[in-house]
Amino acid sequence: MFRPKVPTNPTPTGLVVPLTIEPTATVPHAPAPAPVAQSSTRPALQLTPGTALALVGGGTAVVLIVGTVLVSMLLAVAISGVSVAVCTVVLRWMLASERTHR
């Protein structure tokens, strides 16, 4: 089953013999049925006041949560930058004071 099937060539002449393909019987297919038109008097999506209020509330909650996360990340970057700047100033002051005391 998993072994490759090598075609056999009874006369090794170098001539390429095309394979013979046997025609298969064609089966006529039945025509596809015509699509049925759906008569719908109501829209596909109905928004009642309750669902509209739920959508607005859910959207507001998502915006507030994403905004909170983004602002907290911005604050974390700002605080890290300020702490690095303070460390730099302190190190420069310490190095400068060490040079002047000698």
Side-chain angles (χ1 to χ4, degrees), residues 24-97:
T24 58
T26 57
V27 179
H29 294 287
V36 179
Q38 295 179 353
S39 61
S40 176
T41 57
R42 63 181 188 160
L45 178 66
Q46 289 184 342
L47 288 178
T48 61
T51 57
L53 187 62
L55 284 174
V56 169
T60 303
V62 167
V63 167
L64 288 176
I65 290 170
V66 169
T68 303
V69 168
L70 291 177
V71 167
S72 65
M73 289 173 64
L74 180 65
L75 281 173
V77 169
I79 290 171
S80 299
V82 168
S83 66
V84 167
V86 168
C87 289
T88 304
V89 169
V90 169
L91 283 175
R92 285 182 67 189
W93 175 76
M94 288 172 63
L95 289 174
S97 67

